[in-house]
Every structure is written in structure tokens, then in C-alpha cells.
Amino acid sequence: MVSSINNGLILVSGPARSGKSRWAEHLLHNHPDVTYIATAAARPEDLEWQKRLDAHRQRRPEHWAVAESGAELVEVIETLSPGQSVLIDALGGFVAHHLELDASAWNLLCERLIAAVTSSRCTFVLVIEETGWGVVPPTRIGGLFRDRLGALAQQLDRVADAAWLVLQGRALDLHALGRVVP
């Protein structure tokens, strides 16, 4: 079973409401020492967003630690104790926090993120929102978000031990089913 990977990276991607967070939680359900890292910015005025956050909280086992990283995901990863399991939900929050960075600074930050994950002695399950399957964003910032998230997901897949695509409540093992695009 994939959840037996130690000191590795498991990616879980999919569109909104696909079940990707539930699958990621399932992969770590039996792990004794889990830190859940939430990356999204707080939106206290958005009642629908708060309902989604509450659903995530209610599903998590009580023994899981929770860290809200905000823009500081890399720094939180660098402070983790070796040997634990980590669920990062989700990469989109990290990307959104750094849209103001120019291309050079963004690329350096991506390198730092990948180095932090690959040098850690933790097991990571990283949730990634899939974007760009339909409507093209009408704004420059929307396009930038889509492009950065997609490119970073591909970079992370190159170092991942496993990758899952979750659609309509079903998880597909991308490394078993797919081929790397040259």
C-alpha cells in the first residue's frame, strides 16, 4: 500500500470537490505521528469556505497536529521533526501567497520547497489542485496562478515516490498508469 512509504513524497491532485483531501487523509490515517499543514489564507467573511474548513477539521484524527503555514510553508517544513508524516493541504494556497514574486524569486522559492521536502526525513502527502481543465482565467493573475501551480506540480512529480489523480471520488495511480511527457 502506498501509505507504507517512509521518508518520501506522495502527490494527490484533482479538481475541486473530487475527494483529493479525503484520499490524502486516508493515506495517512494509520500513521501515528502526523502534522497537517494548512496553506490557505484565512477568509473569515466567507461562510462557504468556513464550512469546507470545518469539514476538513471534523475528518482529521484528533491526534494529528495542525500547523497553519500561510506563506511560510518552506519554513514550517524545515522545522519538522524527522520520522513524522506530513499532509500539506494544499499547494494552491502556497502558490497564491507568492503571486507577487517575480519569476526569478518564484523559481528560487520553488527550489527551496523541493529541497526542503526531499532533504527531510519525513513522509509527505501533498494535495495539489488541478486547474486549467476548463475556463481560461480572464485575468493575468489567474493565468499566472494556473501556470505556476501546473509547473510546480510537474517539478514535484519528478521527485515524487507516488502520484494520485482523484476524480469523482476515485483515486488513480498516475505512476502506474501514466508515462512521463518528454
Side-chain angles (χ1 to χ4, degrees):
M1 175 82 193
V2 171
S3 61
S4 66
I5 289 176
N6 291 314
N7 304 330
L9 173 61
I10 303 166
L11 305 178
V12 177
S13 67
R17 303 292 186 164
S18 63
K20 62 189 172 295
S21 292
R22 288 192 331 266
W23 181 250
E25 293 161 3
H26 165 76
L27 293 174
L28 294 176
H29 187 74
N30 292 323
H31 288 227
D33 186 12
V34 178
T35 297
Y36 179 100
I37 301 176
T39 64
R43 300 191 301 204
E45 70 290 343
D46 185 340
L47 295 178
E48 288 303 312
W49 183 251
Q50 293 308 313
K51 286 180 186 176
R52 290 179 81 168
L53 294 182
D54 287 342
H56 283 246
R57 285 183 192 113
Q58 290 172 7
R59 282 196 314 258
R60 283 195 297 263
E62 289 185 18
H63 70 277
W64 285 14
V66 176
E68 294 184 6
S69 68
E72 308 304 323
L73 177 59
V74 174
E75 291 78 4
V76 171
I77 291 170
E78 291 172 343
T79 66
L80 294 169
S81 301
Q84 67 180 294
S85 299
V86 181
L87 194 161
I88 301 171
D89 199 354
L91 193 60
F94 171 75
V95 172
H97 281 294
H98 298 289
L99 288 172
E100 78 289 348
L101 294 178
D102 65 30
S104 177
W106 170 248
N107 290 335
L108 287 173
L109 183 59
C110 291
E111 289 173 15
R112 282 186 58 217
L113 173 65
I114 293 168
V117 169
T118 57
S119 67
S120 172
R121 291 182 20 222
C122 296
T123 299
F124 288 90
V125 175
L126 175 55
V127 176
I128 304 171
E129 304 90 333
E130 287 293 337
T131 62
W133 286 25
V135 177
V136 174
T139 63
R140 186 196 71 74
I141 199 81
L144 181 64
F145 175 83
R146 178 201 57 205
D147 293 348
R148 284 186 174 180
L149 183 62
L152 182 54
Q154 288 187 52
Q155 288 177 287
L156 286 162
D157 187 69
R158 289 186 205 115
V159 298
D161 299 289
W164 295 88
L165 174 63
V166 181
L167 292 168
Q168 302 170 0
R170 296 192 174 266
L172 304 170
D173 182 342
L174 292 178
H175 285 189
L177 296 171
R179 304 254 189 261
V180 174
V181 175

